[in-house]
Amino acid sequence: MLSAIAGLQPRQLAAQVLNFALVLSTAFMLWKGLSVATDSSSPIVVVLSGSMEPAFQRGDLLFLWNRGAETQVGEVVVYNVRGKDIPIVHRVIRKFGGGSAPLQLLTKGDNNAADDTELYARGQNFLDREKDVVGSVLGYVPFVGYVTILLSEYPWLKTAMLGFMALTVVLQRE
Amino acid sequence: MAETKISPYSLPDLKNTTDDALGNYLRGIGFKQDNTKTDVKLVVGYTAVAIAGATFVADYKLGWEATKGWTAVAVAAYAILNGFFTYWLWFVEKGLVFEGSKDGKRVSIQSKTNKHDPTYYLDVTTSSSSSTPSTRQIKTPFTTWFTADGYFVAKPFQQWIASSIEAVGDVDQKSALRDERDELAAPGPQTKLTASASLGETQDVAETTSKSSKKAKKRG
Protein backbone atom coordinates (compact mmCIF):
# COMPACT_ATOMS: atom_id res chain seq x y z
CA MET A 1 0.00 0.00 0.00
CA LEU A 2 2.83 2.40 0.86
CA SER A 3 4.59 1.47 -2.36
CA ALA A 4 1.50 2.70 -4.21
CA ILE A 5 1.92 6.11 -2.55
CA ALA A 6 5.68 6.16 -3.16
CA GLY A 7 5.09 5.47 -6.87
CA LEU A 8 2.95 8.59 -7.38
CA GLN A 9 4.18 11.57 -9.35
CA PRO A 10 5.07 14.55 -7.12
CA ARG A 11 2.04 16.45 -8.39
CA GLN A 12 -0.24 13.48 -7.81
CA LEU A 13 1.08 13.19 -4.28
CA ALA A 14 0.53 16.92 -3.72
CA ALA A 15 -3.04 16.56 -5.02
CA GLN A 16 -3.66 13.58 -2.72
CA VAL A 17 -2.43 15.51 0.34
CA LEU A 18 -4.50 18.50 -0.80
CA ASN A 19 -7.67 16.39 -0.88
CA PHE A 20 -7.17 15.44 2.76
CA ALA A 21 -6.27 19.01 3.79
CA LEU A 22 -9.38 20.35 2.01
CA VAL A 23 -11.66 18.00 3.94
CA LEU A 24 -10.30 19.31 7.25
CA SER A 25 -10.15 22.98 6.24
CA THR A 26 -13.65 22.93 4.74
CA ALA A 27 -15.09 21.50 7.95
CA PHE A 28 -13.29 24.19 9.95
CA MET A 29 -14.32 27.02 7.63
CA LEU A 30 -17.97 25.87 7.64
CA TRP A 31 -17.90 26.09 11.42
CA LYS A 32 -16.32 29.57 11.25
CA GLY A 33 -18.86 30.61 8.63
CA LEU A 34 -21.64 29.58 10.98
CA SER A 35 -19.89 31.57 13.73
CA VAL A 36 -19.81 34.65 11.51
CA ALA A 37 -23.47 34.23 10.48
CA THR A 38 -24.73 33.83 14.05
CA ASP A 39 -22.14 36.22 15.54
CA SER A 40 -21.42 33.60 18.18
CA SER A 41 -18.05 32.08 19.09
CA SER A 42 -19.69 28.68 19.50
CA PRO A 43 -22.91 28.46 17.45
CA ILE A 44 -23.65 24.82 18.29
CA VAL A 45 -23.43 23.40 21.82
CA VAL A 46 -24.36 20.15 23.52
CA VAL A 47 -26.37 20.08 26.76
CA LEU A 48 -24.23 18.42 29.43
CA SER A 49 -26.51 18.43 32.48
CA GLY A 50 -30.13 17.81 33.33
CA SER A 51 -30.65 21.23 34.90
CA MET A 52 -33.03 22.33 32.13
CA GLU A 53 -35.25 19.24 32.08
CA PRO A 54 -37.85 18.76 30.78
CA ALA A 55 -37.07 21.42 28.14
CA PHE A 56 -33.62 20.05 27.29
CA GLN A 57 -32.09 16.68 28.11
CA ARG A 58 -28.48 15.63 28.37
CA GLY A 59 -27.15 15.15 24.86
CA ASP A 60 -29.44 17.60 23.05
CA LEU A 61 -27.77 19.64 20.34
CA LEU A 62 -28.57 23.37 20.54
CA PHE A 63 -28.29 25.96 17.76
CA LEU A 64 -27.52 29.46 18.99
CA TRP A 65 -28.17 32.94 17.63
CA ASN A 66 -26.36 35.97 18.97
CA ARG A 67 -27.66 38.85 16.82
CA GLY A 68 -30.17 41.27 18.26
CA ALA A 69 -28.93 41.73 21.81
CA GLU A 70 -32.32 42.64 23.35
CA THR A 71 -32.73 39.39 25.25
CA GLN A 72 -36.17 38.90 26.84
CA VAL A 73 -37.20 37.22 30.08
CA GLY A 74 -38.10 33.59 29.31
CA GLU A 75 -35.45 33.16 26.60
CA VAL A 76 -32.95 30.34 27.08
CA VAL A 77 -29.34 31.56 26.82
CA VAL A 78 -25.95 29.88 26.85
CA TYR A 79 -23.31 31.65 28.93
CA ASN A 80 -19.76 31.14 30.11
CA VAL A 81 -18.94 31.64 33.79
CA ARG A 82 -16.02 34.08 34.09
CA GLY A 83 -12.77 32.24 34.68
CA LYS A 84 -14.26 28.88 33.71
CA ASP A 85 -14.72 27.66 30.18
CA ILE A 86 -17.86 25.55 30.61
CA PRO A 87 -20.93 26.79 28.75
CA ILE A 88 -24.16 26.64 30.76
CA VAL A 89 -27.68 26.57 29.25
CA HIS A 90 -30.25 28.29 31.50
CA ARG A 91 -33.37 30.45 31.23
CA VAL A 92 -33.48 34.23 31.81
CA ILE A 93 -35.74 35.06 34.76
CA ARG A 94 -34.91 38.76 35.38
CA LYS A 95 -33.41 41.50 33.27
CA PHE A 96 -32.06 44.92 34.19
CA GLY A 97 -30.90 47.81 32.08
CA GLY A 98 -31.17 47.52 28.33
CA GLY A 99 -31.41 50.23 25.71
CA SER A 100 -28.45 52.53 26.24
CA ALA A 101 -27.51 51.00 29.62
CA PRO A 102 -25.69 47.65 29.56
CA LEU A 103 -28.15 44.76 29.67
CA GLN A 104 -27.84 42.57 32.76
CA LEU A 105 -29.48 39.16 33.15
CA LEU A 106 -30.28 36.73 35.96
CA THR A 107 -30.69 33.09 34.95
CA LYS A 108 -32.02 29.88 36.47
CA GLY A 109 -32.18 26.25 35.41
CA ASP A 110 -35.79 25.02 35.00
CA ASN A 111 -34.95 21.92 37.00
CA ASN A 112 -32.92 23.74 39.70
CA ALA A 113 -34.38 24.92 43.03
CA ALA A 114 -32.54 28.26 43.11
CA ASP A 115 -31.32 30.86 40.63
CA ASP A 116 -27.76 30.89 39.29
CA THR A 117 -26.09 33.40 41.64
CA GLU A 118 -24.36 30.41 43.27
CA LEU A 119 -22.94 29.32 39.89
CA TYR A 120 -21.61 32.74 38.88
CA ALA A 121 -18.04 33.77 39.66
CA ARG A 122 -17.28 35.06 43.19
CA GLY A 123 -18.78 38.54 43.65
CA GLN A 124 -20.83 38.33 40.44
CA ASN A 125 -24.60 38.70 40.83
CA PHE A 126 -25.71 38.91 37.22
CA LEU A 127 -24.63 38.18 33.66
CA ASP A 128 -23.40 40.86 31.32
CA ARG A 129 -25.26 40.31 28.00
CA GLU A 130 -22.35 41.52 25.90
CA LYS A 131 -19.49 39.79 27.66
CA ASP A 132 -20.81 36.57 29.17
CA VAL A 133 -23.58 35.32 26.86
CA VAL A 134 -22.59 33.13 23.87
CA GLY A 135 -26.07 33.21 22.31
CA SER A 136 -29.78 32.45 22.71
CA VAL A 137 -31.18 29.06 21.83
CA LEU A 138 -32.82 29.14 18.39
CA GLY A 139 -33.57 25.46 17.92
CA TYR A 140 -32.43 22.01 18.97
CA VAL A 141 -32.03 18.41 17.85
CA PRO A 142 -32.61 15.89 20.62
CA PHE A 143 -30.02 13.26 21.59
CA VAL A 144 -27.61 13.75 18.64
CA GLY A 145 -24.98 15.39 20.85
CA TYR A 146 -24.67 12.28 23.00
CA VAL A 147 -21.78 11.15 20.78
CA THR A 148 -19.64 14.06 22.00
CA ILE A 149 -20.55 13.33 25.63
CA LEU A 150 -19.42 9.73 25.14
CA LEU A 151 -16.22 10.91 23.46
CA SER A 152 -15.33 13.25 26.30
CA GLU A 153 -16.23 10.77 29.02
CA TYR A 154 -14.36 7.85 27.43
CA PRO A 155 -11.19 9.40 25.93
CA TRP A 156 -10.02 6.07 24.45
CA LEU A 157 -13.00 6.26 22.06
CA LYS A 158 -11.53 9.46 20.65
CA THR A 159 -8.16 7.78 20.03
CA ALA A 160 -9.82 4.78 18.43
CA MET A 161 -11.96 6.93 16.15
CA LEU A 162 -9.07 9.17 15.03
CA GLY A 163 -6.89 6.13 14.35
CA PHE A 164 -9.62 4.52 12.28
CA MET A 165 -10.21 7.70 10.28
CA ALA A 166 -6.50 8.23 9.61
CA LEU A 167 -6.18 4.64 8.44
CA THR A 168 -9.05 4.86 5.95
CA VAL A 169 -7.77 8.13 4.52
CA VAL A 170 -4.25 6.76 4.01
CA LEU A 171 -5.34 3.44 2.53
CA GLN A 172 -8.02 4.77 0.21
CA ARG A 173 -7.57 6.45 -3.12
CA GLU A 174 -10.68 8.10 -4.53
CA MET B 1 3.94 0.45 -10.29
CA ALA B 2 2.40 -1.36 -13.22
CA GLU B 3 3.66 -4.67 -11.84
CA THR B 4 1.64 -4.34 -8.64
CA LYS B 5 -1.26 -6.72 -8.28
CA ILE B 6 -4.65 -5.08 -7.88
CA SER B 7 -8.14 -6.37 -7.29
CA PRO B 8 -9.65 -6.85 -10.75
CA TYR B 9 -13.12 -6.36 -9.26
CA SER B 10 -12.39 -2.84 -7.98
CA LEU B 11 -13.24 -0.26 -10.62
CA PRO B 12 -11.22 2.57 -8.95
CA ASP B 13 -8.17 0.26 -8.82
CA LEU B 14 -8.51 -0.59 -12.49
CA LYS B 15 -8.95 3.05 -13.46
CA ASN B 16 -6.15 4.44 -11.28
CA THR B 17 -3.65 1.83 -12.45
CA THR B 18 -4.56 2.45 -16.08
CA ASP B 19 -4.44 6.24 -15.64
CA ASP B 20 -0.94 5.97 -14.18
CA ALA B 21 0.16 3.64 -16.97
CA LEU B 22 -1.20 6.00 -19.62
CA GLY B 23 0.84 8.93 -18.29
CA ASN B 24 3.97 6.79 -17.96
CA TYR B 25 3.57 5.44 -21.50
CA LEU B 26 3.14 8.84 -23.14
CA ARG B 27 6.02 10.35 -21.18
CA GLY B 28 8.07 7.26 -22.07
CA ILE B 29 7.68 7.72 -25.83
CA GLY B 30 8.73 11.34 -25.57
CA PHE B 31 5.56 13.40 -25.05
CA LYS B 32 6.32 16.50 -23.04
CA GLN B 33 3.71 16.83 -20.30
CA ASP B 34 1.95 20.14 -19.78
CA ASN B 35 0.95 20.46 -16.13
CA THR B 36 -0.69 23.89 -16.28
CA LYS B 37 -4.16 22.70 -15.30
CA THR B 38 -2.89 20.64 -12.38
CA ASP B 39 -0.71 23.53 -11.21
CA VAL B 40 -3.63 25.96 -11.23
CA LYS B 41 -5.64 23.47 -9.19
CA LEU B 42 -2.82 22.95 -6.68
CA VAL B 43 -2.13 26.68 -6.23
CA VAL B 44 -5.82 27.51 -5.69
CA GLY B 45 -6.33 24.55 -3.35
CA TYR B 46 -3.28 25.17 -1.21
CA THR B 47 -4.07 28.91 -0.99
CA ALA B 48 -7.49 28.00 0.40
CA VAL B 49 -5.93 25.60 2.90
CA ALA B 50 -3.39 28.26 3.93
CA ILE B 51 -6.21 30.75 4.59
CA ALA B 52 -8.02 28.19 6.75
CA GLY B 53 -4.77 27.42 8.59
CA ALA B 54 -4.08 31.10 9.28
CA THR B 55 -7.65 31.54 10.55
CA PHE B 56 -7.19 28.58 12.86
CA VAL B 57 -3.93 29.93 14.31
CA ALA B 58 -5.34 33.44 14.74
CA ASP B 59 -8.45 32.06 16.45
CA TYR B 60 -6.35 29.85 18.74
CA LYS B 61 -4.00 32.66 19.80
CA LEU B 62 -6.25 35.74 19.89
CA GLY B 63 -9.74 34.36 20.49
CA TRP B 64 -13.05 34.96 18.75
CA GLU B 65 -13.77 38.57 19.74
CA ALA B 66 -10.45 39.91 18.41
CA THR B 67 -10.57 38.01 15.11
CA LYS B 68 -14.28 38.35 14.23
CA GLY B 69 -13.88 40.80 11.34
CA TRP B 70 -10.97 39.03 9.70
CA THR B 71 -12.68 35.66 10.13
CA ALA B 72 -15.62 36.95 8.06
CA VAL B 73 -13.21 38.03 5.31
CA ALA B 74 -11.37 34.70 5.47
CA VAL B 75 -14.61 32.72 5.25
CA ALA B 76 -15.68 34.68 2.16
CA ALA B 77 -12.27 34.23 0.50
CA TYR B 78 -12.26 30.52 1.31
CA ALA B 79 -15.74 30.07 -0.16
CA ILE B 80 -14.69 31.78 -3.40
CA LEU B 81 -11.46 29.79 -3.74
CA ASN B 82 -13.19 26.51 -2.92
CA GLY B 83 -15.94 27.29 -5.43
CA PHE B 84 -13.35 27.96 -8.11
CA PHE B 85 -11.50 24.76 -7.16
CA THR B 86 -14.69 22.70 -7.56
CA TYR B 87 -15.50 24.40 -10.88
CA TRP B 88 -11.97 23.69 -12.14
CA LEU B 89 -12.19 20.04 -11.08
CA TRP B 90 -15.61 19.41 -12.64
CA PHE B 91 -15.68 21.60 -15.73
CA VAL B 92 -12.06 22.18 -16.75
CA GLU B 93 -10.08 19.10 -15.71
CA LYS B 94 -13.01 16.64 -15.98
CA GLY B 95 -10.80 13.67 -15.15
CA LEU B 96 -7.74 14.88 -17.06
CA VAL B 97 -5.06 12.20 -17.11
CA PHE B 98 -2.49 13.58 -19.50
CA GLU B 99 -1.93 16.72 -21.48
CA GLY B 100 1.19 17.16 -23.52
CA SER B 101 2.70 17.53 -26.91
CA LYS B 102 5.37 16.17 -29.21
CA ASP B 103 6.53 17.57 -32.53
CA GLY B 104 3.84 20.24 -32.50
CA LYS B 105 1.01 17.73 -31.99
CA ARG B 106 -0.92 18.28 -28.84
CA VAL B 107 -2.85 15.55 -27.03
CA SER B 108 -5.22 15.98 -24.10
CA ILE B 109 -6.79 12.87 -22.56
CA GLN B 110 -9.59 12.68 -20.01
CA SER B 111 -10.62 9.34 -18.56
CA LYS B 112 -13.77 8.13 -16.87
CA THR B 113 -15.63 4.98 -15.91
CA ASN B 114 -19.32 4.37 -15.33
CA LYS B 115 -20.64 2.58 -12.26
CA HIS B 116 -20.62 -1.22 -12.51
CA ASP B 117 -19.29 -1.12 -16.06
CA PRO B 118 -15.67 -2.32 -16.42
CA THR B 119 -15.00 -0.21 -19.50
CA TYR B 120 -12.35 2.48 -19.81
CA TYR B 121 -13.62 5.62 -21.55
CA LEU B 122 -11.20 8.19 -22.91
CA ASP B 123 -12.03 11.61 -24.32
CA VAL B 124 -9.13 12.42 -26.58
CA THR B 125 -8.62 15.94 -27.84
CA THR B 126 -5.92 16.36 -30.47
CA SER B 127 -4.72 19.51 -32.14
CA SER B 128 -1.75 20.86 -34.00
CA SER B 129 -0.73 24.28 -35.21
CA SER B 130 -2.43 23.66 -38.56
CA SER B 131 -5.67 22.01 -37.43
CA THR B 132 -8.42 22.97 -35.02
CA PRO B 133 -8.82 20.80 -31.88
CA SER B 134 -11.06 17.78 -32.33
CA THR B 135 -12.41 15.54 -29.58
CA ARG B 136 -13.21 11.87 -29.90
CA GLN B 137 -14.34 9.29 -27.36
CA ILE B 138 -12.75 5.85 -27.40
CA LYS B 139 -13.50 2.95 -25.08
CA THR B 140 -12.27 -0.54 -24.37
CA PRO B 141 -12.97 -3.08 -21.61
CA PHE B 142 -10.33 -3.26 -18.89
CA THR B 143 -10.01 -6.99 -19.54
CA THR B 144 -8.01 -6.12 -22.65
CA TRP B 145 -4.94 -5.26 -20.54
CA PHE B 146 -5.65 -6.78 -17.12
CA THR B 147 -5.13 -10.44 -16.39
CA ALA B 148 -7.82 -12.31 -14.46
CA ASP B 149 -5.74 -12.15 -11.28
CA GLY B 150 -5.19 -8.41 -11.49
CA TYR B 151 -1.88 -7.80 -13.24
CA PHE B 152 -1.54 -4.97 -15.71
CA VAL B 153 -0.07 -5.98 -19.09
CA ALA B 154 1.46 -3.04 -20.91
CA LYS B 155 1.58 -4.35 -24.46
CA PRO B 156 -2.12 -4.64 -25.39
CA PHE B 157 -2.79 -1.33 -23.63
CA GLN B 158 -0.09 0.50 -25.56
CA GLN B 159 -1.29 -1.11 -28.79
CA TRP B 160 -4.79 0.14 -28.14
CA ILE B 161 -3.64 3.69 -27.40
CA ALA B 162 -1.21 3.82 -30.33
CA SER B 163 -3.79 2.37 -32.73
CA SER B 164 -6.64 4.65 -31.77
CA ILE B 165 -4.86 7.97 -31.25
CA GLU B 166 -3.12 9.03 -34.42
CA ALA B 167 -0.68 11.42 -32.77
CA VAL B 168 0.55 8.59 -30.53
CA GLY B 169 0.62 6.02 -33.32
CA ASP B 170 2.85 8.29 -35.40
CA VAL B 171 5.41 8.31 -32.59
CA ASP B 172 5.15 4.69 -31.46
CA GLN B 173 4.68 3.00 -34.83
CA LYS B 174 5.57 -0.50 -33.76
CA SER B 175 2.67 -0.54 -31.28
CA ALA B 176 0.13 0.78 -33.75
CA LEU B 177 -1.81 -2.02 -35.40
CA ARG B 178 -2.03 -1.63 -39.15
CA ASP B 179 -5.67 -2.52 -39.79
CA GLU B 180 -7.02 -0.35 -37.02
CA ARG B 181 -4.90 2.52 -38.18
CA ASP B 182 -6.48 2.15 -41.61
CA GLU B 183 -9.92 2.48 -40.13
CA LEU B 184 -8.79 5.66 -38.44
CA ALA B 185 -7.38 7.28 -41.55
CA ALA B 186 -9.47 9.82 -43.36
CA PRO B 187 -11.21 8.54 -46.50
CA GLY B 188 -8.42 8.45 -49.07
CA PRO B 189 -8.41 7.88 -52.83
CA GLN B 190 -8.70 4.12 -52.35
CA THR B 191 -12.08 4.42 -50.67
CA LYS B 192 -13.22 6.77 -53.36
CA LEU B 193 -12.20 4.24 -55.94
CA THR B 194 -14.28 1.45 -54.45
CA ALA B 195 -17.22 3.81 -54.15
CA SER B 196 -16.99 5.01 -57.73
CA ALA B 197 -16.53 1.47 -59.01
CA SER B 198 -19.98 0.77 -57.51
CA LEU B 199 -19.21 -2.69 -56.27
CA GLY B 200 -22.02 -5.09 -55.58
CA GLU B 201 -23.41 -5.26 -52.09
CA THR B 202 -22.40 -8.87 -51.58
CA GLN B 203 -18.79 -8.10 -52.29
CA ASP B 204 -18.85 -5.26 -49.82
CA VAL B 205 -20.17 -7.48 -47.06
CA ALA B 206 -17.61 -10.13 -47.85
CA GLU B 207 -14.84 -7.60 -47.51
CA THR B 208 -15.93 -6.40 -44.07
CA THR B 209 -16.30 -9.92 -42.74
CA SER B 210 -12.86 -10.91 -43.87
CA LYS B 211 -11.46 -7.84 -42.24
CA SER B 212 -13.14 -8.48 -38.91
CA SER B 213 -12.11 -12.12 -38.90
CA LYS B 214 -8.52 -11.07 -39.44
CA LYS B 215 -8.79 -8.75 -36.50
CA ALA B 216 -10.30 -11.48 -34.37
CA LYS B 217 -7.39 -13.75 -35.19
CA LYS B 218 -4.92 -11.11 -34.17
CA ARG B 219 -6.73 -10.41 -30.89
CA GLY B 220 -6.95 -14.10 -30.03
Side-chain angles (χ1 to χ4, degrees):
Chain A
M1 227 52 218
L2 282 175
S3 70
I5 289 169
L8 288 174
Q9 296 274 312
R11 279 187 175 83
Q12 273 181 311
L13 186 65
Q16 194 87 341
V17 173
L18 178 62
N19 277 348
F20 180 54
L22 274 176
V23 170
L24 292 182
S25 64
T26 304
F28 176 69
M29 288 315 257
L30 279 176
W31 171 254
K32 280 293 154 199
L34 200 60
S35 277
V36 169
T38 59
D39 194 27
S40 170
S41 59
S42 169
I44 299 174
V45 294
V46 173
V47 178
L48 295 176
S49 77
S51 65
M52 276 300 281
E53 279 180 26
F56 299 126
Q57 320 260 318
R58 217 165 112 80
D60 287 0
L61 200 68
L62 305 182
F63 296 93
L64 307 184
W65 186 253
N66 199 29
R67 292 188 184 276
E70 277 301 316
T71 311
Q72 302 297 321
V73 169
E75 251 178 68
V76 180
V77 295
V78 175
Y79 64 91
N80 280 316
V81 175
R82 285 173 207 170
K84 286 182 220 164
D85 212 22
I86 310 156
I88 296 175
V89 192
H90 279 174
R91 197 182 295 277
V92 177
I93 55 166
R94 297 263 199 288
K95 69 174 215 172
F96 313 94
S100 55
L103 186 60
Q104 298 168 345
L105 308 171
L106 179 66
T107 53
K108 175 183 172 296
D110 285 1
N111 201 22
N112 289 356
D115 64 38
D116 288 352
T117 36
E118 284 290 306
L119 287 174
Y120 297 159
R122 192 174 288 273
Q124 185 187 359
N125 292 319
F126 53 82
L127 295 176
D128 187 312
R129 174 68 185 81
E130 285 290 310
K131 278 189 218 150
D132 299 325
V133 174
V134 181
S136 330
V137 176
L138 189 75
Y140 79 108
V141 180
F143 203 66
V144 179
Y146 226 96
V147 183
T148 63
I149 295 184
L150 284 179
L151 285 178
S152 60
E153 278 178 9
Y154 304 100
W156 63 267
L157 266 177
K158 227 183 259 180
T159 323
M161 202 178 75
L162 276 178
F164 178 74
M165 274 160 55
L167 213 65
T168 33
V169 166
V170 168
L171 295 186
Q172 233 170 23
R173 188 173 162 193
E174 203 99 14
Chain B
M1 250 288 262
E3 282 72 41
T4 333
K5 187 179 186 301
I6 56 134
S7 162
Y9 299 99
S10 159
L11 206 48
D13 275 11
L14 292 170
K15 180 175 178 293
N16 289 334
T17 309
T18 311
D19 284 350
D20 291 346
L22 179 58
N24 285 338
Y25 169 51
L26 293 178
R27 278 187 293 274
I29 59 171
F31 273 85
K32 202 176 161 343
Q33 187 160 8
D34 175 8
N35 288 305
T36 320
K37 280 180 184 154
T38 315
D39 288 345
V40 168
K41 179 182 83 172
L42 288 177
V43 167
V44 170
Y46 275 107
T47 310
V49 170
I51 288 173
T55 312
F56 181 81
V57 172
D59 182 53
Y60 187 78
K61 291 209 162 153
L62 305 171
W64 165 250
E65 286 299 326
T67 54
K68 239 189 212 178
W70 282 110
T71 302
V73 176
V75 167
Y78 186 86
I80 291 168
L81 285 175
N82 208 355
F84 181 81
F85 182 88
T86 311
Y87 159 80
W88 196 260
L89 215 61
W90 287 3
F91 297 102
V92 179
E93 280 201 338
K94 281 193 285 186
L96 184 78
V97 181
F98 184 89
E99 192 165 48
S101 57
K102 185 173 164 62
D103 306 329
K105 279 179 195 153
R106 199 175 158 75
V107 181
S108 170
I109 302 175
Q110 294 161 328
S111 78
K112 71 164 191 202
T113 52
N114 293 331
K115 249 185 187 175
H116 312 306
D117 169 22
T119 307
Y120 193 51
Y121 294 86
L122 290 182
D123 282 318
V124 185
T125 309
T126 47
S127 61
S128 64
S129 50
S130 54
S131 68
T132 50
S134 66
T135 305
R136 223 157 49 81
Q137 189 177 69
I138 55 176
K139 59 172 186 177
T140 293
F142 282 110
T143 46
T144 315
W145 53 82
F146 275 103
T147 62
D149 46 357
Y151 286 98
F152 178 83
V153 186
K155 201 173 176 226
F157 175 68
Q158 294 178 355
Q159 276 177 348
W160 173 58
I161 294 293
S163 309
S164 36
I165 305 174
E166 230 187 326
V168 178
D170 290 345
V171 178
D172 187 10
Q173 282 177 350
K174 67 178 192 304
S175 287
L177 298 174
R178 198 63 248 164
D179 53 347
E180 294 192 23
R181 291 270 285 156
D182 285 346
E183 276 172 29
L184 250 191
Q190 217 181 344
T191 342
K192 259 183 210 155
L193 195 76
T194 43
S196 61
S198 64
L199 291 165
E201 242 178 84
T202 40
Q203 220 170 337
D204 242 88
V205 172
E207 207 188 343
T208 34
T209 37
S210 77
K211 201 173 193 180
S212 55
S213 69
K214 191 173 73 186
K215 205 189 293 175
K217 240 180 262 168
K218 213 164 208 170
R219 282 261 168 80

